[in-house]
């Protein structure tokens, strides 16, 4: 067994400090009416931008791919189209919201629920009741560096996030969302990439220290080996962090999100699936 790292000890400390959370709200509990009002106040242009990757699939040999079946029925002069789809929620290619029973540690989910409890108490259904609406702080690390994307050998740091926010005159407040653009869409690939640990451990600590309620990002800290090295995703276990994986920021960047505005209203509405470990989502940035 490896020696505990500083992050290991910090996450265990955070998990021990957590208040009882019978409603399974996790970090989203910090989004109060003031946080939502702060989000609304950022809207200046009346523009809504999707941060989702396109859903493509239908590979019958891939259990994790999107499988879409379409058919039509005729009712006299009326034609009705139907479809049915199935997809693995998690992975590297689909934009999705992680639930609180997606990543555990030492045999427990968030809130010390035993990981043997399947299905675990849901968070996705709870979050779906109102959706997640809060102020999103947009941080484009490659643009700050003058590069195209964050590389595997040079992950983004908490100091860089702070520098981008300070340059925009933004102070993170409890309940905010961090929209972390690491340049994935500018990497050349026709399919799901072999991703890499794109942020340092101190980014996980920064998220917890600033009571960030929601993280939306494109490059991840997974899959990496050994999986015990996961830094940001282990915040799901430690503080109940809501994370949207595999975002696509090309449209936001084209609309000037990195220049004309640095904050907007982040909106994530999962499906109310009882017992789910996650949900496919189409996150929106309203500016």
């Amino acid at each position: 067994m490896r020696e505990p790292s500083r992050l290991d000890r910090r996450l265990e400390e955070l998990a021990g400090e957590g208040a009882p959370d019978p409603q399974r709200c996790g970090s989203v509990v910090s989004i109060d009416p003031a946080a939502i009002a702060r989000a609304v106040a950022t809207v200046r242009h009346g523009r809504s931008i999707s941060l989702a990757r396109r859903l493509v699939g239908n590979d019958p040999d891939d259990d994790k791919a999107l499988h879409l079946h379409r058919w039509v029925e005729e009712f006299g002069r009326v034609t009705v189209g139907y479809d049915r789809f199935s997809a693995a929620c998690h992975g590297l290619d689909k934009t999705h919201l992680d639930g609180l029973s997606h990543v555990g540690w030492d045999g427990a989910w968030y809130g010390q629920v035993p990981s043997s409890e399947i299905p675990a108490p849901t968070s996705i259904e709870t979050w779906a009741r109102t959706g997640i609406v809060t102020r999103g702080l947009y941080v484009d690390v490659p643009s700050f560096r003058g590069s195209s994307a964050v590389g595997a050998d040079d992950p983004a740091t908490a100091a860089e996030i702070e520098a981008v926010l300070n340059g925009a005159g933004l102070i993170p407040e409890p309940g905010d969302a961090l929209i972390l653009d690491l340049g994935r869409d500018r990497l050349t690939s026709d399919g799901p990439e072999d991703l890499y640990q794109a942020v340092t451990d101190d980014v996980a600590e920064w998220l917890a220290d600033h009571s960030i309620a929601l993280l939306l990002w494109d490059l991840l800290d997974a899959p990496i080996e050994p999986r015990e090295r996961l830094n940001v995703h282990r915040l799901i276990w430690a503080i109940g962090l809501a994370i949207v994986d595999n975002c696509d920021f090309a449209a936001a960047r084209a609309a000037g999100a990195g220049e004309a505005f640095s904050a907007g209203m982040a909106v994530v509405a999962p499906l109310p699936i009882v017992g789910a470990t996650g949900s496919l989502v189409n996150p929106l940035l309203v500016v």
Side-chain angles (χ1 to χ4, degrees):
M1 179 178 292
R2 68 181 178 85
E3 285 292 318
S5 67
R6 166 180 160 166
L7 181 61
D8 292 338
R9 292 189 292 269
R10 179 73 173 116
L11 293 178
E12 289 170 359
E13 175 185 310
L14 288 166
E17 293 173 353
D21 185 9
Q23 296 301 314
R24 304 286 289 173
C25 291
S27 61
V28 173
V29 74
S30 61
I31 303 177
D32 58 12
I36 296 175
R38 193 164 63 243
V40 173
T42 65
V43 178
R44 294 286 185 269
H45 307 281
R47 184 182 306 161
S48 179
I49 305 165
S50 171
L51 305 180
R53 292 166 66 91
R54 292 175 60 242
L55 285 168
V56 295
N58 273 355
D59 181 349
D61 297 322
D62 185 352
D63 290 338
K64 294 184 178 181
L66 172 73
H67 299 282
L68 182 62
H69 174 62
R70 309 177 187 89
W71 72 96
V72 297
E73 292 184 7
E74 303 288 345
F75 301 93
R77 297 171 64 184
V78 175
T79 301
V80 179
Y82 299 91
D83 55 60
R84 179 177 65 249
F85 78 90
S86 65
C89 173
H90 304 286
L92 308 181
D93 59 333
K94 294 176 284 294
T95 306
H96 63 271
L97 173 65
D98 289 336
L100 299 183
S101 54
H102 175 50
V103 173
W105 183 252
D106 279 346
W109 304 121
Y110 166 75
Q112 299 306 309
V113 174
S115 57
S116 58
E117 190 169 326
I118 299 293
T122 185
S123 55
I124 293 298
E125 182 193 15
T126 299
W127 291 339
R129 293 171 190 165
T130 58
I132 303 174
V133 180
T134 193
R135 182 176 69 155
L137 308 178
Y138 180 83
V139 172
D140 183 346
V141 175
S143 292
F144 173 75
R145 293 181 173 183
S147 63
S148 60
V150 169
D153 57 348
D154 191 18
T157 68
E160 289 177 305
I161 294 172
E162 282 280 359
V164 173
L165 293 176
N166 288 339
L170 292 170
I171 300 174
E173 299 186 50
D176 282 344
L178 178 66
I179 303 173
L180 186 57
D181 184 346
L182 300 169
R184 176 177 176 174
D185 63 276
R186 290 179 286 202
L187 298 173
T188 57
S189 176
D190 295 326
E193 298 88 350
D194 291 329
L195 301 187
Y196 43 82
Q197 191 159 2
V199 297
T200 54
D201 285 357
D202 64 357
V203 170
E205 295 186 62
W206 186 93
L207 291 165
D209 292 342
H210 289 81
S211 298
I212 296 298
L214 172 67
L215 171 66
L216 303 101
W217 62 345
D218 50 354
L219 288 172
L220 314 179
D221 57 1
I224 57 174
E225 297 298 341
R227 291 296 177 99
E228 287 187 352
R229 289 178 54 216
L230 293 176
N231 47 27
V232 170
H233 269 85
R234 279 199 282 153
L235 286 171
I236 297 174
W237 164 77
I239 64 172
L241 180 64
I243 302 177
V244 176
D245 289 329
N246 305 321
C247 290
D248 187 335
F249 297 118
R253 201 180 302 112
E259 299 175 6
F261 43 84
S262 298
M265 181 166 63
V267 181
V268 179
L271 297 173
I273 306 173
V274 178
T277 66
S279 174
L280 300 182
V281 291
N282 178 22
L284 301 177
L285 176 62
V286 184
V287 298

